[in-house]
Amino acid sequence: MSKVSRMLMPGLGLALLSIAPALGQAAAPAPAAQAALPALFWVLAGVLGAVLLVFLTLFVAVLALMRPQLRRLYELPSVRRSWSGQVLGLLVGDAVLVRGEVRDEMLDHDYDGIHEFDNDLPPWWKYGFYVTIVFGLVYLAYYHVAQAGQLSHAEYETEMQQAALLVSADDPNQLTTYEPLTAAADLASGKTLFATNCAPCHGPNAEGKVGPNLTDEYWLHGGEVNHLYKTIKFGVQGKGMVAWKGKLSGKQILQVSSYILSLQGSKPAGAKEPQGQKEAASKPVAKL
């Protein structure tokens, strides 16, 4: 390495180090660029559609100009009997590939004066019949041999089970089987919902106002998460506890219930005296 190269290397290294952050920032997509992506997609789709339209127009024009030559080519017996020749026939106006050969050859029998022609079935019908055979084989292998999918009876049973779950979720006499939510995001959402909807009656720290204290071990209607879920969802008639069904989603009710359980033993200032029966409720721990 020459003396000049050794002198230039440190400066080149410093220049690269200074440029690298700028390159990293430039590589990161800006919010404006992200917002422009849908518009760019539609522009590209429009350009592609225009190109396809121009190509189709040129194809039709070329086909119209070359139709006499294609017709003469199609009239050749060796070409007309081939499958590719029948495709060519579609371009020159002969739909034999779709409707089949119509020979109009009458068979030598009749029924009460009704005669029968010996014509082939239309190719579209035969191809459709072949497709049904392939479909039947695939269906047999998938549902009966491999048993990878549910048959109609099993689908019916599954749908009935799902319907029963939905009905039980709206049945105030049947408890749900939820577990308390422990994720920090769910507990944060439950705290926000509690502050908005529950704090006017239970206090900002669940210490109790018109409603009971929710931070001690005493409960009027059960302190397990599914009892709390039921109380919040359906309310308590004649006790001032309104039903939040229809106002909060099922997940939001479970978030509020889990947040209330997270307040157990917090002992807020000015807590209301215990009400109900003593019950040790499970306390979810947020997963950070």
Side-chain angles (χ1 to χ4, degrees):
M1 183 180 294
S2 65
K3 184 176 180 180
V4 175
S5 300
R6 289 196 299 269
M7 295 174 62
L8 291 176
M9 286 300 293
L12 181 59
L14 292 174
L16 290 175
L17 289 175
S18 62
I19 293 174
L23 291 176
Q25 293 176 358
Q34 292 179 348
L37 287 178
L40 180 61
F41 169 78
W42 288 113
V43 170
L44 293 177
V47 172
L48 180 60
V51 171
L52 291 176
L53 181 61
V54 171
F55 176 79
L56 181 61
T57 303
L58 292 176
F59 177 77
V60 172
V62 172
L63 181 62
L65 292 175
M66 297 185 61
R67 188 167 184 175
Q69 293 82 358
L70 295 176
R71 185 71 186 183
R72 287 194 294 269
L73 177 63
Y74 176 67
E75 294 297 336
L76 296 176
S78 59
V79 175
R80 188 165 188 170
R81 286 193 295 268
S82 65
W83 188 86
S84 59
Q86 293 178 357
V87 175
L88 179 62
L90 292 176
L91 299 178
V92 297
D94 190 353
V96 66
L97 181 64
V98 177
R99 60 178 173 80
E101 291 284 351
V102 181
R103 295 191 298 269
D104 288 340
E105 295 179 1
M106 190 175 297
L107 298 177
D108 57 353
H109 62 269
D110 66 85
Y111 299 96
D112 296 332
I114 300 175
H115 298 277
E116 181 181 359
F117 290 97
D118 186 17
N119 291 325
D120 289 336
L121 289 169
W124 63 265
W125 191 95
K126 291 189 288 187
Y127 298 151
F129 180 67
Y130 299 150
V131 169
T132 59
I133 294 176
V134 174
F135 175 82
L137 294 175
V138 173
Y139 183 92
L140 176 66
Y142 183 80
Y143 286 98
H144 294 276
V145 178
Q147 296 183 349
Q150 289 184 332
L151 295 176
S152 57
H153 182 72
E155 288 183 347
Y156 170 77
E157 293 294 337
T158 302
E159 291 177 358
M160 291 301 294
Q161 292 174 2
Q162 294 174 350
L165 290 176
L166 292 176
V167 171
S168 64
D170 286 332
D171 184 2
N173 298 318
Q174 186 171 353
L175 285 176
T176 53
T177 56
Y178 297 130
E179 293 291 333
L181 300 176
T182 57
D186 288 320
L187 296 180
S189 298
K191 180 179 180 179
T192 302
L193 293 168
F194 183 91
T196 304
N197 303 294
C198 309
C201 291
H202 294 280
N205 298 312
E207 70 275 12
K209 287 186 176 180
V210 179
N213 177 10
L214 301 177
T215 65
D216 56 24
E217 297 178 335
Y218 291 84
W219 299 91
L220 292 171
H221 308 288
E224 195 266 338
V225 65
N226 292 288
H227 288 92
L228 282 173
Y229 185 94
K230 174 184 174 181
T231 304
I232 295 173
K233 183 173 184 178
F234 298 105
V236 181
Q237 292 184 357
K239 298 294 184 180
M241 177 62 189
V242 299
W244 291 95
K245 174 185 175 182
K247 303 172 186 176
L248 298 178
S249 66
K251 183 175 182 179
Q252 288 176 324
I253 295 176
L254 186 57
Q255 287 172 338
V256 174
S257 303
S258 301
Y259 170 70
I260 292 173
L261 292 180
S262 71
L263 299 176
Q264 295 302 290
S266 58
K267 298 180 180 179
K272 193 174 181 181
E273 67 279 359
Q275 294 175 271
Q277 296 180 355
K278 187 176 182 179
E279 179 181 342
S282 57
K283 179 180 178 181
V285 179
K287 295 181 180 178
L288 301 178

